[in-house]
Amino acid sequence: MNSVTQANTDYRVSVSNQQILKIALPIAAATLVPQLNFIINNVFLGHLGEEQLAVAGITGVYYLIFAVIGLGLNNGMQAIIARRAGENKIEAIGNLFAQGVRISFALATLGILLTWIVVPFILKHTLHNALHVEMAVKFLRIRIFGIVFLFLYQLRNAVLVGTNQSKYLIIGTAAESIANVFFDYTLIFGKLGLPNLGFNGAAYSSIIAEFTGLMAIYFVIRKKGIDKQLHLFQSWKYDKQNTLLIFRISSPLIAQFCLSIVSWEFFYILIEHHGSMDLAISNIMRNIFGFFGCFTWAFAAATNTMVSNIIGQQMHDKVIPLIKKIMLLSLLFAGCVFLLINIFPVVFLSFYGQGNTFIQHGIPVLRIVSTALLLMSVSTIWLNAVTGTGSTQVNLVIEFGAIVMYCIYSYLTLEKWHLPITIGWGSEWVYWITLFIPSFWYIKSGKWRKKAF
């Protein structure tokens, strides 16, 4: 009998470096591809001009607000599904997935309405450059329709990672990557007979790519029989209890991630007041932060899943040793990235075709960001361990405190004292250190042991 259809398939995890890498590395590869796509977008846009590259920073961070809403829903469901897998209650996963799809459609509709109605007003009253406002509004009114596909696409993380099948993630992201590069090139520059859409071509390209990734992963789930084994697509009946459970676990995470990205948008608005070059440099820093942070985020996702799964197996005493194992692996990968970036900073910055002056201004900022990657590699592991325990309200409190410190620092350095952006990017150090301390304390306190869902 095919192992995919066996009723007694065991999705419980073990505490070992091999198990950690088995879960984390496919997630890293799957996360790396979209980040690479984002960098490619900006490389293409950089060749259109500095204005386009600068505005891409504003629009990119705004879209991230909605992307992380889906991520919050995904992480909450991932913790619940991993808990059910640890308890060996596989039949419950299909119903959880159905409720997640319903919630995704509702959130996507809300996001589209807000973008069309509210965002133009906000941007007109926050950005100083009228051209930036016009470009950003036109772009976002196109780009926002992609969240329908993105939210559904993100649910595959909850299912595949939550059931220890992260190896299939790369298939969907590979399809997305190919589509994104092709349509970026053809729609931004008007190649191969397609219209020359310039800056807005990147918006259409991203939507097509998200749809392509969604269809690819749907095909994999059906082809491998995962849908039958996990009881997916079998019933779309509304389940109030599971819907409320998803909201209870996911809502604090959604609020947490939204706070984080809104603060980042606030940061970019402050950077915009320093001029187009500083904004363009900061946009590239976000690219580099996102691209090289993929390994850390992968280990963080593995932490969420494995902690929840281990607790589901009633192996509470193994939680902290597991977290330490994951943290050391995360720090090792981040250390390699740190060395690579600081040895070859010119190589990374030259990809964007902005000239020597731009590169020289960007190198000091790049060094600050690379150090922040080390801090993130530790902090985010402990924060996601809190998520895995189901204590997502604690996550929200920790995030809120870190965001307050982050925003105060950013406002004082960039707006009030008008210091260079190299100092302003030190806000990342403040943020990750402030996240680590209470996350570490909460896990060490053992208060999570009484949490059940």
Side-chain angles (χ1 to χ4, degrees):
M1 180 182 292
N2 191 314
S3 61
V4 174
T5 60
Q6 290 178 353
N8 62 346
T9 302
D10 194 344
Y11 293 109
R12 290 173 289 188
V13 301
S14 61
V15 180
S16 67
N17 288 334
Q18 182 180 4
Q19 179 77 82
I20 294 167
L21 293 173
K22 181 181 177 182
I23 295 175
L25 291 183
I27 299 173
T31 309
L32 197 66
V33 173
Q35 291 296 333
L36 181 61
N37 291 345
F38 194 73
I39 291 174
I40 291 170
N41 272 350
N42 282 280
V43 169
F44 285 141
L45 293 175
H47 285 84
L48 290 180
E50 189 177 277
E51 293 289 345
Q52 286 82 354
L53 186 59
V55 175
I58 298 293
T59 57
V61 174
Y62 175 80
Y63 190 74
L64 271 178
I65 295 173
F66 292 97
V68 298
I69 289 174
L71 183 62
L73 175 63
N74 161 70
N75 281 13
M77 287 193 60
Q78 183 179 313
I80 299 170
I81 290 172
R83 185 65 57 88
R84 298 295 175 264
E87 296 167 345
N88 213 22
K89 297 179 180 177
I90 307 304
E91 70 283 352
I93 294 175
N95 183 272
L96 287 166
F97 178 77
Q99 309 315 309
V101 170
R102 183 178 286 105
I103 294 169
S104 294
F105 274 117
L107 292 175
T109 302
L110 179 61
I112 292 170
L113 292 175
L114 285 174
T115 301
W116 272 78
I117 298 170
V118 179
V119 168
F121 174 82
I122 295 175
L123 292 181
K124 285 177 184 177
H125 288 81
T126 53
L127 300 184
H128 290 179
N129 189 315
L131 177 61
H132 289 177
V133 174
E134 181 182 0
M135 291 174 63
V137 169
K138 287 182 178 179
F139 183 94
L140 289 173
R141 281 183 165 175
I142 300 167
R143 182 70 184 94
I144 196 61
F145 285 99
I147 64 170
V148 177
F149 308 125
L150 178 64
F151 283 178
L152 296 176
Y153 187 37
Q154 286 176 324
L155 287 181
R156 106 283 199 202
N157 274 4
V159 174
L160 296 178
V161 178
T163 57
N164 192 21
Q165 299 184 89
S166 57
K167 61 184 178 181
Y168 296 120
L169 296 179
I170 191 61
I171 298 174
T173 48
E176 180 186 5
S177 178
I178 293 169
N180 190 66
V181 172
F182 176 80
F183 286 105
D184 257 353
Y185 176 70
T186 54
L187 293 177
I188 291 175
F189 301 112
K191 302 295 184 178
L192 301 179
L194 294 178
N196 185 341
L197 300 178
F199 183 60
N200 289 339
Y204 288 108
S205 171
S206 296
I207 294 173
I208 295 170
E210 286 165 349
F211 176 77
T212 303
L214 174 62
M215 290 297 100
I217 205 65
Y218 172 79
F219 174 78
V220 170
I221 288 174
R222 295 301 294 263
K223 184 71 174 178
K224 296 293 182 180
I226 297 172
D227 58 327
K228 293 181 180 178
Q229 187 176 9
L230 301 180
H231 306 277
L232 307 181
F233 314 122
Q234 291 184 10
S235 173
W236 298 100
K237 184 179 179 181
Y238 174 69
D239 186 318
K240 182 178 179 180
Q241 184 177 356
N242 270 337
T243 299
L244 291 177
L245 174 61
I246 292 170
F247 271 117
R248 180 167 66 85
I249 300 297
S250 297
S251 294
L253 295 176
I254 292 172
Q256 171 196 334
F257 293 146
C258 283
L259 278 174
S260 179
I261 299 302
V262 166
S263 67
W264 214 357
E265 185 79 342
F266 172 70
F267 176 80
Y268 271 84
I269 288 170
L270 297 181
I271 292 286
E272 193 263 353
H273 299 168
H274 285 236
S276 292
M277 177 177 285
D278 282 355
L279 183 58
I281 289 172
S282 294
N283 186 29
I284 290 174
M285 292 307 112
R286 180 167 60 87
N287 292 169
I288 292 173
F289 205 104
F291 184 78
F292 289 108
C294 286
F295 288 105
T296 293
W297 290 329
F299 284 116
T303 305
N304 178 0
T305 291
M306 294 186 72
V307 166
S308 187
N309 193 296
I310 288 296
I311 293 173
Q313 296 180 51
Q314 301 301 310
M315 297 164 62
H316 295 76
D317 291 339
K318 293 189 176 182
V319 168
I320 291 179
L322 169 65
I323 296 169
K324 289 180 178 179
K325 282 179 178 287
I326 299 174
M327 181 191 69
L328 290 175
L329 288 171
S330 176
L331 186 59
L332 175 63
F333 277 87
C336 293
V337 169
F338 175 83
L339 292 175
L340 193 64
I341 289 177
N342 282 279
I343 293 172
F344 304 106
V346 175
V347 173
F348 291 108
L349 294 174
S350 63
F351 283 125
Y352 295 86
Q354 295 298 304
N356 189 59
T357 302
F358 185 91
I359 291 173
Q360 293 307 313
H361 277 80
I363 289 176
V365 186
L366 184 61
R367 300 201 189 284
I368 295 293
V369 168
S370 66
T371 307
L373 286 170
L374 292 176
L375 297 173
M376 181 179 76
S377 70
V378 174
S379 299
T380 194
I381 300 304
W382 288 92
L383 183 66
N384 276 267
V386 177
T387 305
T389 67
S391 305
T392 52
Q393 295 88 350
V394 176
N395 281 80
L396 180 57
V397 173
I398 293 171
E399 184 73 36
F400 181 78
I403 290 300
V404 169
M405 298 298 293
Y406 175 90
C407 289
I408 290 173
Y409 179 93
S410 299
Y411 177 78
L412 291 176
T413 55
L414 294 172
E415 192 74 6
K416 186 175 179 61
W417 299 328
H418 209 74
L419 296 176
I421 63 169
T422 305
I423 304 299
W425 270 93
S427 58
E428 290 295 326
W429 294 11
V430 173
Y431 176 73
W432 292 112
I433 291 171
T434 310
L435 276 185
F436 168 72
I437 295 171
S439 300
F440 178 81
W441 173 84
Y442 181 77
I443 294 296
K444 283 289 191 176
S445 73
K447 293 184 177 182
W448 49 270
R449 290 175 178 268
K450 299 178 182 179
K451 191 76 176 180
F453 57 84

